[in-house]
Amino acid sequence: MRVFNKILFTSAMVVGLSLSAFAQKDDKKPPPKPQPPVVNPQPKNPPPKDDKPKKPGNYSVVWKYEESESA
């Protein structure tokens, strides 16, 4: 009788799990994605021409400090 109960319980578990796995299967397809918008790049304006000479970008400073020994 114990063997029969184990076989019955095991077969019920197999049937139940297979039905639950089958119920989770989703055959629905997602809706199609919309077409992305088309982006046309605008022509860039050329940079303005400056006839002025450009200023230097960096500069250096030298500072020298000396203590005098006049005592």
Side-chain angles (χ1 to χ4, degrees):
M1 189 69 171
R2 286 179 111 179
V3 175
F4 179 72
N5 282 344
K6 285 185 180 182
I7 292 173
L8 184 63
F9 181 72
T10 305
S11 62
M13 287 287 289
V14 168
V15 169
L17 289 175
S18 64
L19 287 176
S20 65
F22 181 73
Q24 290 180 358
K25 186 176 178 184
D26 191 14
D27 289 336
K28 294 178 184 176
K29 292 183 181 178
K33 293 182 179 179
Q35 293 290 332
V38 178
V39 177
N40 295 327
Q42 299 294 327
K44 295 182 178 179
N45 294 333
K49 293 185 178 181
D50 291 335
D51 294 333
K52 301 177 199 175
K54 293 186 177 184
K55 296 180 181 178
N58 58 12
Y59 57 92
S60 300
V61 175
V62 177
W63 184 275
K64 185 175 181 181
Y65 177 73
E66 293 182 13
E67 287 189 24
S68 59
E69 296 183 22
S70 60

